[in-house]
Amino acid sequence: MSSVKTARTRTMSRILATVLMASALTGCSLMELTRDCDGTEARVTEVGALGILDSRPDRATVTRGSEEDAPHCSADSGDVVVSTTRTYAFPGTRAEVAAHYRAAARQDGWRPDPEAEPGELSFVKGDMYLWVDFTSTGYGLTVVSYE
């Protein structure tokens, strides 16, 4: 019986040592690895209510199914992310969309993302990021907040 108990203890010790080593090598703590979306309801509501999401150039229309892109929280490997997306059909040019969001974002307290790639339309406000991505029929807005 003693050897079985010793073997279990050794096995558990190895498992614990492996987890601790992995968390040290990745820079994650055990608590970070177990984070989830509990307690993010207010942040989800806040992100979904951002005025910039409803700002759009004249002639832009909400695309069908866009209401399915409701604000939500997701947790993956300890990263907790609150995000939402809006998609719009737009018959105009990318330049018109870019001009609209540069002005609207500035007016709403967003600033250009200093880490954006050339040609990328990206803004920062506190711990939130706003991206404008173009499609063949319009564009999408995505807001992400890393918790």
Side-chain angles (χ1 to χ4, degrees), residues 36-76:
D36 59 21
C37 289
D38 288 345
T40 63
E41 295 81 10
R43 186 63 164 177
V44 169
T45 300
E46 177 187 355
V47 167
L50 291 170
I52 195 76
L53 293 168
D54 294 321
S55 174
R56 60 182 185 246
D58 292 337
R59 302 179 308 166
T61 57
V62 177
T63 59
R64 180 184 280 180
S66 186
E67 61 276 357
E68 295 170 7
D69 298 326
H72 63 280
C73 177
S74 59
D76 183 29

Side-chain angles (χ1 to χ4, degrees), residues 57 93-106 121 123 134:
T93 66
R94 289 180 180 207
E96 289 175 273
V97 172
H100 172 84
Y101 284 104
R102 283 187 184 106
R106 185 177 340 105
L121 196 53
F123 305 92
F134 296 96

Side-chain angles (χ1 to χ4, degrees), residues 3-112:
S3 65
V4 171
K5 190 173 183 182
T6 302
R8 284 186 189 156
T9 302
R10 235 183 262 142
T11 301
M12 288 306 293
S13 295
R14 286 182 183 150
I15 291 171
L16 183 56
T18 302
V19 169
L20 290 173
M21 184 182 302
S23 69
L25 292 174
T26 62
C28 297
S29 71
L30 290 176
M31 290 303 291
E32 288 173 331
L33 292 174
T34 61
R35 291 181 58 204
D36 59 21
C37 289
D38 288 345
T40 63
E41 295 81 10
R43 186 63 164 177
V44 169
T45 300
E46 177 187 355
V47 167
L50 291 170
I52 195 76
L53 293 168
D54 294 321
S55 174
R56 60 182 185 246
D58 292 337
R59 302 179 308 166
T61 57
V62 177
T63 59
R64 180 184 280 180
S66 186
E67 61 276 357
E68 295 170 7
D69 298 326
H72 63 280
C73 177
S74 59
D76 183 29
S77 301
D79 293 326
V80 178
V81 179
V82 173
S83 64
T84 192
T85 301
R86 297 283 192 288
T87 54
Y88 296 98
F90 185 64
T93 66
R94 289 180 180 207
E96 289 175 273
V97 172
H100 172 84
Y101 284 104
R102 283 187 184 106
R106 185 177 340 105
Q107 191 172 35
D108 194 37
W110 295 84
R111 59 182 172 73

